[in-house]
Amino acid sequence: GRFLITYYHELGHKNEAAKYGIDFKLGFSKFIQIDSKNIKIGGGLAVPRTKLDCEGYNKLNQNDKTVIVLKGITNDQKSIIVLLSVYLIINILLFILYLKYRSINLVGLSILINIILLILILFITMSTIDNLNYKNPISDISMALNNINLTC
């Protein structure tokens, strides 16, 4: 689930950059990083594919770079809305089924589905918070606020 969420986040950057004629490649890391303040599981990266793409990105004005950089967070928000909608619909359906059948198996199924969906929502929320952390020099918000040029 975490890598699917990361992929969708990074895909937002890639698709937005394509609107400016810049091709981004996606990269992922499979690691667990634990330090004194946070735990980060996995990570993603969307970077220009070629030197020409990198130079094209660096030539963009700050507004255009900001749009590209923040598109990942926009995708995170969409993911949260979709998962919360699914969460609500599934719980309503399970509640109706429980009222009709009074089955203990439905309670167990409901708990399992709720745990899975809540973990996914937690991962998206953690990722979004990490990308909004202005103290992290490679977070989306730092990239947007500081008009950072990439090294080609």
Side-chain angles (χ1 to χ4, degrees), residues 10 23 31 37 83 91-92 98-99 105 109 116 141:
E10 300 303 337
D23 187 21
F31 65 87
K37 296 191 181 185
L83 281 174
N91 277 290
I92 290 170
Y98 178 75
L99 288 177
N105 291 335
L109 179 62
I116 291 169
I141 200 72

Side-chain angles (χ1 to χ4, degrees), residues 129-140:
I129 290 169
D130 193 40
N131 278 304
L132 291 173
N133 181 357
Y134 68 92
K135 292 181 182 178
N136 177 353
I138 60 167
S139 73
D140 287 353

Side-chain angles (χ1 to χ4, degrees), residues 37-50:
K37 296 191 181 185
N38 62 36
I39 299 173
K40 184 172 183 177
I41 303 170
L45 190 62
V47 294
R49 184 171 299 279
T50 66

